Amino acid sequence: EARNVPLAMAQPPREVVLWAAIAGVASGIVTVHLLVGQRRPGKGKPLTDLGMTAVGIYSAMADKSGFEAGLSAAAGAMAEDSAASRTTRTTMAGVLTVAGLMSAVVASHAMDMAHFARVAVGDWSRAVTRPVRLLLLGPEQGGNAGVLDVNVAWYRVWPQDVDRNAHMNNAKFLRVGNYSRRSLWAHNGVWAVCLSAQPHSVNLIVTATTIRYRRELKIWQRYSVNSRLLSWDNQCFYTEHLFKVGDFVHAVQLVKYRVVSEDKTMTPAKLLSLADETVISNLPPALTPELASWLEYDKRSSLSLKGTTK
């Protein structure tokens, strides 16, 4: 069963950030030492001691002695020998610079900063453009879209999205689908209702998804994701997402969204009616043949995993 999940986006624990930074610093020192340590021994403090510094940092991590101990090990290596040559000091400065850059990269990767940044930029742009649209177009055209309207969001295949085949990796489609659904719920007003439903928090949880790939998306290629709400029942929304270049559909994704609330009274129909009054008197749209077949598979899969074939 779906669990209630806090609305606030989960943030990495402080310990994760600290250990990622330590690992980056240590990795940078080891890398530079392997590249130049044996070639340019200084007259003062030998560069081979950089290896000892890295070992000290790793030991601090292993002993869980904390971030401060790791930094002390790095600082001590530079302060021990005041008579170190200029070459050694310059090299050490370069080592720490590279280590700092690597720590930033490692920490960024550990915390998936690209994802958080992309989400933040999307939310910020919608927050900025919404009042402008309301001012220029008025509430009729500049307000929320209808809950059954198609939402079109544009993206581009960036280098971090591709794999060794120079096309967008299959897993990236799922992540972009997440961005497009965020855009869908933001533009039709559903997410605003979720955030304002206090004190009984409401959230949307993905419980099933499937995607079919028809043609690759190559690096630098611009494409759109056309998202729409297909239907709903007493517990879930069902959405469709078409990845398109021009009129050709490169991939199609179906998603099942469970509506959860702290008091367990919020239903998809009630949530939609709060966002769009026109759905009060409307029944859910009929299931498309593809959606009906997919839901049958979802049901059979659930029964199979529960050990029954009924």
Side-chain angles (χ1 to χ4, degrees):
E1 294 185 0
R3 297 179 293 105
N4 289 351
V5 177
L7 289 175
M9 184 176 296
Q11 297 296 325
R14 180 174 179 269
E15 291 77 7
V16 174
V17 179
L18 295 180
W19 293 126
I22 292 174
V25 172
S27 299
I29 291 175
V30 170
T31 300
V32 177
H33 170 63
L34 292 176
L35 291 176
V36 304
Q38 301 300 328
R39 299 178 185 176
R40 300 181 60 188
K43 295 180 180 179
K45 188 175 183 62
L47 290 183
T48 51
D49 282 0
L50 295 179
M52 298 296 292
T53 302
V55 171
I57 295 177
Y58 279 124
S59 298
M61 294 171 61
D63 296 338
K64 299 182 179 179
S65 54
F67 183 62
E68 293 78 7
L71 291 182
S72 297
M78 294 189 67
E80 276 184 22
D81 192 353
S82 59
S85 66
R86 177 175 298 181
T87 301
T88 301
R89 291 197 299 271
T90 302
T91 304
M92 286 294 291
V95 167
L96 293 180
T97 299
V98 173
L101 293 174
M102 291 189 66
S103 66
V105 172
V106 171
S108 176
H109 179 72
M111 296 182 293
D112 203 0
M113 292 301 296
H115 166 69
F116 288 104
R118 201 165 183 176
V119 169
V121 169
D123 290 347
W124 177 83
S125 64
R126 285 188 288 269
V128 171
T129 58
R130 179 177 172 79
V132 175
R133 287 175 56 84
L134 286 172
L135 179 63
L136 298 179
L137 304 177
E140 291 284 334
Q141 297 181 340
N144 292 332
V147 295
L148 296 178
D149 291 350
V150 176
N151 176 257
V152 180
W154 289 91
Y155 304 95
R156 188 178 297 276
V157 182
W158 298 107
Q160 65 266 27
D161 298 326
V162 303
D163 53 27
R164 65 185 181 87
N165 297 310
H167 64 204
M168 191 156 87
N169 181 266
N170 63 87
K172 291 294 185 178
F173 282 83
L174 300 179
R175 170 155 286 188
V176 173
N178 183 50
Y179 301 145
S180 64
R181 289 191 300 279
R182 196 178 183 93
S183 177
L184 171 68
W185 300 127
H187 281 96
N188 64 20
V190 168
W191 189 239
V193 175
C194 291
L195 295 178
S196 64
Q198 300 297 336
H200 303 301
S201 298
V202 178
N203 206 353
L204 305 176
I205 305 297
V206 173
T207 60
T209 185
T210 189
I211 187 167
R212 176 171 176 256
Y213 305 98
R214 302 184 67 223
R215 183 181 295 176
E216 66 180 0
L217 288 172
K218 298 181 179 180
I219 189 171
W220 309 120
Q221 195 165 16
R222 191 167 185 260
Y223 62 97
S224 66
V225 180
N226 294 15
S227 305
R228 63 173 177 147
L229 176 62
L230 292 179
S231 190
W232 60 89
D233 54 28
N234 291 331
Q235 293 183 321
C236 299
F237 290 125
Y238 304 103
T239 62
E240 177 189 67
H241 311 277
L242 305 179
F243 294 71
K244 302 177 67 175
V245 175
D247 294 328
F248 187 84
V249 177
H250 286 242
V252 56
Q253 181 185 20
L254 295 176
V255 178
K256 178 182 180 181
Y257 257 114
R258 179 77 174 267
V259 177
V260 296
S261 60
E262 291 183 359
D263 61 355
K264 302 184 184 302
T265 61
M266 183 64 74
T267 64
K270 182 178 179 180
L271 182 56
L272 291 178
S273 67
L274 293 173
D276 186 349
E277 296 180 354
T278 62
V279 303
I280 295 178
S281 58
N282 293 339
L283 295 174
L287 301 181
T288 63
E290 297 87 350
L291 179 58
S293 297
W294 182 59
L295 292 181
E296 180 62 23
Y297 154 76
D298 185 67
K299 178 181 177 181
R300 288 179 177 273
S301 175
S302 178
L303 292 173
S304 175
L305 294 173
K306 290 178 180 178
T308 177
T309 56
K310 295 182 179 180

